[in-house]
Coordinates of all heavy atoms in Angstrom, one line a residue:
C291 N 18.0 -25.9 17.4 CA 19.0 -26.7 16.5 C 19.3 -28.1 17.0 O 19.9 -28.8 16.3 CB 20.3 -25.9 16.4 SG 20.1 -24.2 15.8
E292 N 18.8 -28.4 18.1 CA 19.2 -29.7 18.8 C 18.2 -30.8 18.4 O 17.1 -30.5 18.0 CB 19.2 -29.5 20.3 CG 20.3 -28.5 20.7 CD 20.2 -28.1 22.2 OE1 19.3 -28.6 22.9 OE2 21.0 -27.3 22.6
G293 N 18.6 -32.0 18.6 CA 17.8 -33.2 18.4 C 17.9 -33.8 17.0 O 18.6 -33.2 16.1
E294 N 17.3 -34.9 16.8 CA 17.4 -35.6 15.6 C 16.6 -34.9 14.4 O 17.0 -35.1 13.3 CB 16.8 -37.0 15.8 CG 17.1 -38.0 14.7 CD 16.7 -39.4 15.1 OE1 17.2 -39.9 16.1 OE2 16.0 -40.0 14.3
R295 N 15.6 -34.2 14.8 CA 14.8 -33.5 13.8 C 14.7 -32.0 14.3 O 13.6 -31.6 14.7 CB 13.4 -34.1 13.6 CG 13.5 -35.4 12.9 CD 12.2 -36.2 13.0 NE 11.0 -35.5 12.5 CZ 10.3 -35.9 11.4 NH1 10.6 -36.9 10.8 NH2 9.2 -35.2 11.1
P296 N 15.8 -31.3 14.1 CA 15.7 -29.9 14.6 C 14.7 -29.0 13.8 O 14.4 -29.3 12.7 CB 17.2 -29.4 14.4 CG 17.7 -30.2 13.3 CD 17.0 -31.6 13.5
R297 N 14.2 -28.0 14.4 CA 13.3 -27.1 13.7 C 14.0 -26.0 13.0 O 13.5 -25.3 12.2 CB 12.2 -26.6 14.6 CG 12.7 -25.7 15.7 CD 11.5 -25.2 16.6 NE 11.9 -24.2 17.5 CZ 12.2 -24.4 18.8 NH1 12.1 -25.6 19.2 NH2 12.6 -23.4 19.5
R298 N 15.4 -25.9 13.2 CA 16.2 -25.0 12.5 C 17.6 -25.4 12.4 O 18.1 -26.2 13.2 CB 16.1 -23.6 13.1 CG 16.8 -23.4 14.5 CD 16.8 -22.0 15.0 NE 15.5 -21.4 14.9 CZ 14.7 -21.2 16.0 NH1 15.1 -21.6 17.2 NH2 13.6 -20.6 15.8
C299 N 18.3 -25.0 11.4 CA 19.8 -25.1 11.3 C 20.4 -23.8 11.1 O 19.9 -23.0 10.2 CB 20.1 -26.0 10.0 SG 19.5 -27.7 10.1
V300 N 21.4 -23.4 11.8 CA 22.0 -22.1 11.7 C 23.5 -22.2 11.5 O 24.1 -23.2 11.9 CB 21.7 -21.2 13.0 CG1 20.3 -21.0 13.2 CG2 22.4 -21.8 14.2
W301 N 24.1 -21.3 10.8 CA 25.5 -21.3 10.5 C 26.1 -19.9 10.7 O 25.4 -18.9 10.4 CB 25.8 -21.7 9.1 CG 25.3 -23.1 8.7 CD1 26.0 -24.2 8.9 CD2 24.0 -23.4 8.2 NE1 25.2 -25.3 8.5 CE2 24.0 -24.8 8.1 CE3 22.9 -22.7 7.8 CZ2 22.9 -25.5 7.6 CZ3 21.8 -23.4 7.3 CH2 21.8 -24.8 7.2
T302 N 27.3 -19.8 11.0 CA 28.1 -18.6 11.0 C 28.9 -18.7 9.7 O 29.6 -19.7 9.4 CB 29.1 -18.6 12.2 OG1 28.3 -18.6 13.4 CG2 30.0 -17.3 12.1
A303 N 28.8 -17.7 8.9 CA 29.5 -17.6 7.6 C 30.9 -17.1 7.9 O 31.1 -16.1 8.6 CB 28.8 -16.8 6.6
M304 N 31.9 -17.7 7.3 CA 33.3 -17.3 7.4 C 33.9 -17.1 6.1 O 33.6 -17.7 5.1 CB 34.1 -18.5 8.1 CG 33.5 -19.0 9.4 SD 33.7 -18.1 10.8 CE 35.4 -18.3 11.2
T305 N 34.9 -16.1 6.0 CA 35.6 -15.9 4.8 C 36.7 -17.0 4.7 O 36.9 -17.7 5.6 CB 36.3 -14.5 4.8 OG1 37.3 -14.6 5.9 CG2 35.4 -13.4 5.1
G306 N 37.4 -17.0 3.5 CA 38.5 -18.0 3.3 C 39.6 -17.7 4.3 O 40.4 -18.7 4.6
E307 N 39.7 -16.5 4.9 CA 40.7 -16.2 5.8 C 40.3 -16.5 7.3 O 41.1 -16.3 8.2 CB 41.1 -14.7 5.7 CG 41.8 -14.3 4.4 CD 40.8 -14.2 3.2 OE1 39.7 -13.8 3.4 OE2 41.2 -14.7 2.1
G308 N 39.1 -17.0 7.4 CA 38.6 -17.3 8.8 C 37.9 -16.2 9.5 O 37.6 -16.4 10.7
D309 N 37.6 -15.1 8.9 CA 36.9 -14.0 9.5 C 35.4 -14.3 9.4 O 34.9 -14.7 8.4 CB 37.2 -12.7 8.8 CG 38.7 -12.3 8.9 OD1 39.3 -12.6 10.0 OD2 39.2 -11.7 8.0
V310 N 34.7 -14.0 10.5 CA 33.2 -14.1 10.5 C 32.7 -13.0 9.6 O 33.0 -11.8 9.8 CB 32.6 -13.9 11.9 CG1 31.1 -13.9 11.9 CG2 33.1 -15.1 12.8
C311 N 31.8 -13.4 8.7 CA 31.2 -12.4 7.8 C 29.7 -12.4 7.7 O 29.1 -11.5 7.2 CB 31.8 -12.5 6.3 SG 31.4 -14.1 5.5
G312 N 29.1 -13.4 8.4 CA 27.6 -13.4 8.4 C 27.0 -14.5 9.2 O 27.7 -15.3 9.9
H313 N 25.7 -14.6 9.1 CA 24.9 -15.6 9.8 C 23.7 -15.9 8.8 O 23.3 -15.1 8.1 CB 24.3 -14.9 11.0 CG 23.3 -15.8 11.7 ND1 23.6 -16.6 12.8 CD2 21.9 -15.9 11.5 CE1 22.5 -17.2 13.2 NE2 21.5 -16.8 12.5
I314 N 23.3 -17.2 8.9 CA 22.2 -17.6 8.0 C 21.5 -18.8 8.7 O 22.1 -19.6 9.4 CB 22.7 -18.0 6.6 CG1 21.6 -18.1 5.6 CG2 23.6 -19.2 6.6 CD1 22.0 -18.1 4.1
E315 N 20.2 -19.0 8.4 CA 19.4 -20.0 9.0 C 18.4 -20.6 8.0 O 17.9 -19.9 7.2 CB 18.6 -19.4 10.2 CG 17.6 -20.3 10.8 CD 16.7 -19.7 11.8 OE1 17.1 -18.7 12.4 OE2 15.6 -20.2 12.0
I316 N 18.2 -21.9 8.1 CA 17.1 -22.6 7.6 C 16.2 -22.9 8.8 O 16.6 -23.6 9.6 CB 17.4 -23.9 6.8 CG1 18.2 -23.6 5.6 CG2 16.1 -24.6 6.4 CD1 18.6 -24.8 4.8
G317 N 15.0 -22.2 8.8 CA 14.1 -22.4 9.9 C 12.7 -22.8 9.5 O 12.5 -23.1 8.3
A318 N 11.9 -23.0 10.5 CA 10.5 -23.4 10.3 C 10.5 -24.7 9.5 O 9.7 -24.9 8.6 CB 9.7 -22.3 9.6
I319 N 11.4 -25.6 9.8 CA 11.5 -26.9 9.0 C 10.3 -27.7 9.3 O 10.0 -28.0 10.5 CB 12.8 -27.6 9.4 CG1 14.1 -26.8 9.1 CG2 12.9 -29.0 8.7 CD1 15.4 -27.4 9.6
S320 N 9.6 -28.1 8.2 CA 8.5 -29.0 8.3 C 8.9 -30.3 7.7 O 9.0 -30.4 6.4 CB 7.2 -28.4 7.7 OG 6.2 -29.4 7.6
Y321 N 9.1 -31.3 8.5 CA 9.5 -32.6 7.9 C 8.3 -33.3 7.3 O 8.4 -34.1 6.4 CB 10.1 -33.5 9.0 CG 11.3 -32.9 9.6 CD1 11.4 -32.2 10.7 CD2 12.6 -33.2 8.9 CE1 12.5 -31.6 11.2 CE2 13.7 -32.6 9.4 CZ 13.7 -31.9 10.6 OH 14.9 -31.3 11.0
E322 N 7.1 -32.9 7.7 CA 5.9 -33.5 7.1 C 5.6 -33.0 5.7 O 5.2 -33.7 4.8 CB 4.6 -33.2 8.0 CG 4.7 -33.8 9.4 CD 5.6 -33.1 10.3 OE1 6.0 -31.9 10.2 OE2 6.1 -33.8 11.3
N323 N 5.9 -31.7 5.5 CA 5.7 -31.0 4.2 C 7.0 -30.9 3.4 O 6.9 -30.4 2.3 CB 5.1 -29.7 4.4 CG 3.7 -29.7 4.9 OD1 2.9 -30.4 4.4 ND2 3.5 -29.0 6.0
N324 N 8.1 -31.4 4.0 CA 9.4 -31.2 3.3 C 9.7 -29.8 2.8 O 10.0 -29.5 1.7 CB 9.5 -32.2 2.1 CG 9.6 -33.6 2.6 OD1 10.1 -33.9 3.6 ND2 9.0 -34.5 1.8
S325 N 9.4 -28.9 3.7 CA 9.6 -27.4 3.4 C 10.2 -26.7 4.6 O 10.2 -27.2 5.7 CB 8.2 -26.8 3.0 OG 7.4 -26.8 4.2
A326 N 10.8 -25.5 4.3 CA 11.4 -24.7 5.3 C 11.5 -23.3 4.8 O 11.2 -23.0 3.6 CB 12.8 -25.3 5.7
S327 N 12.0 -22.4 5.6 CA 12.2 -21.0 5.3 C 13.7 -20.6 5.5 O 14.2 -21.0 6.5 CB 11.3 -20.1 6.1 OG 10.0 -20.3 5.8
L328 N 14.2 -19.9 4.5 CA 15.5 -19.3 4.7 C 15.2 -18.0 5.5 O 14.4 -17.3 5.1 CB 16.1 -19.0 3.3 CG 17.6 -18.5 3.4 CD1 18.5 -19.6 3.7 CD2 18.0 -17.8 2.1
C329 N 16.0 -17.8 6.5 CA 15.7 -16.6 7.4 C 16.9 -16.2 8.1 O 18.0 -16.9 8.1 CB 14.5 -16.9 8.3 SG 14.7 -18.4 9.3
R330 N 16.8 -15.1 8.7 CA 17.9 -14.5 9.6 C 19.2 -14.5 8.8 O 20.2 -14.9 9.3 CB 17.9 -15.2 10.9 CG 16.6 -14.9 11.7 CD 16.7 -15.4 13.1 NE 15.4 -15.2 13.7 CZ 14.3 -16.0 13.6 NH1 14.5 -17.2 13.0 NH2 13.2 -15.7 14.1
V331 N 19.2 -14.0 7.6 CA 20.4 -13.8 6.8 C 21.0 -12.5 7.2 O 20.3 -11.4 7.1 CB 20.0 -13.9 5.3 CG1 21.3 -13.7 4.5 CG2 19.4 -15.2 4.9
F332 N 22.2 -12.5 7.6 CA 22.9 -11.3 8.0 C 24.3 -11.3 7.4 O 25.0 -12.3 7.6 CB 22.9 -11.1 9.5 CG 23.7 -9.9 10.0 CD1 23.1 -8.7 10.0 CD2 25.0 -10.1 10.4 CE1 23.9 -7.6 10.4 CE2 25.7 -9.0 10.8 CZ 25.2 -7.7 10.8
V333 N 24.7 -10.2 6.8 CA 26.1 -10.0 6.3 C 26.6 -8.8 7.1 O 26.0 -7.8 7.1 CB 26.1 -9.8 4.8 CG1 27.5 -9.5 4.3 CG2 25.6 -11.0 4.0
A334 N 27.8 -9.0 7.7 CA 28.5 -8.0 8.5 C 28.6 -6.8 7.6 O 28.9 -6.9 6.4 CB 29.8 -8.5 9.0
P335 N 28.4 -5.6 8.1 CA 28.5 -4.3 7.3 C 29.8 -4.2 6.4 O 29.7 -3.8 5.2 CB 28.4 -3.2 8.3 CG 27.7 -3.8 9.5 CD 28.1 -5.3 9.5
E336 N 30.9 -4.6 6.9 CA 32.1 -4.5 6.1 C 32.2 -5.5 5.0 O 33.1 -5.4 4.1 CB 33.4 -4.6 7.0 CG 33.5 -5.9 7.7 CD 32.8 -6.0 9.1 OE1 31.9 -5.3 9.4 OE2 33.3 -6.9 9.9
Y337 N 31.3 -6.5 4.9 CA 31.3 -7.5 3.8 C 30.2 -7.3 2.9 O 30.1 -8.0 1.9 CB 31.3 -8.9 4.4 CG 32.6 -9.2 5.1 CD1 32.8 -9.1 6.5 CD2 33.7 -9.6 4.3 CE1 34.0 -9.4 7.1 CE2 35.0 -9.9 4.9 CZ 35.1 -9.8 6.3 OH 36.3 -10.1 6.9
R338 N 29.3 -6.3 3.1 CA 28.2 -6.1 2.2 C 28.7 -5.6 0.9 O 29.6 -4.8 0.9 CB 27.2 -5.1 2.9 CG 26.5 -5.7 4.0 CD 25.5 -4.8 4.7 NE 25.1 -5.5 6.0 CZ 24.6 -4.9 7.0 NH1 24.4 -3.5 7.0 NH2 24.2 -5.5 8.1
G339 N 28.1 -6.1 -0.2 CA 28.5 -5.7 -1.5 C 29.8 -6.4 -2.0 O 30.3 -6.1 -3.1
T340 N 30.3 -7.4 -1.2 CA 31.5 -8.1 -1.7 C 31.3 -9.4 -2.3 O 32.2 -10.1 -2.7 CB 32.5 -8.2 -0.5 OG1 31.9 -9.1 0.5 CG2 32.8 -6.9 0.2
G341 N 30.0 -9.8 -2.4 CA 29.7 -11.1 -3.0 C 29.6 -12.3 -2.1 O 29.6 -13.4 -2.5
V342 N 29.7 -12.1 -0.8 CA 29.7 -13.2 0.2 C 28.3 -13.8 0.4 O 28.2 -15.0 0.8 CB 30.3 -12.9 1.5 CG1 31.8 -12.4 1.4 CG2 29.5 -11.9 2.3
C343 N 27.2 -13.0 0.2 CA 25.9 -13.5 0.5 C 25.4 -14.6 -0.4 O 24.8 -15.6 0.1 CB 24.9 -12.3 0.5 SG 23.3 -12.8 1.3
T344 N 25.6 -14.5 -1.7 CA 25.1 -15.5 -2.6 C 25.7 -16.9 -2.3 O 24.9 -17.9 -2.2 CB 25.3 -15.2 -4.1 OG1 24.7 -13.9 -4.3 CG2 24.8 -16.2 -5.0

Side-chain angles (χ1 to χ4, degrees):
C291 301
E292 298 171 358
E294 196 170 304
R295 289 169 53 117
R297 62 180 191 264
R298 70 174 48 102
C299 298
V300 301
W301 299 272
T302 299
M304 312 279 289
T305 66
E307 294 76 38
D309 297 323
V310 173
C311 63
H313 172 96
I314 194 164
E315 171 187 338
I316 293 178
I319 299 170
S320 170
Y321 296 96
E322 296 75 25
N323 292 310
N324 294 326
S325 65
S327 294
L328 186 76
C329 51
R330 296 188 182 86
V331 178
F332 176 79
V333 174
E336 62 271 25
Y337 291 99
R338 292 179 188 157
T340 66
V342 301
C343 192
T344 302

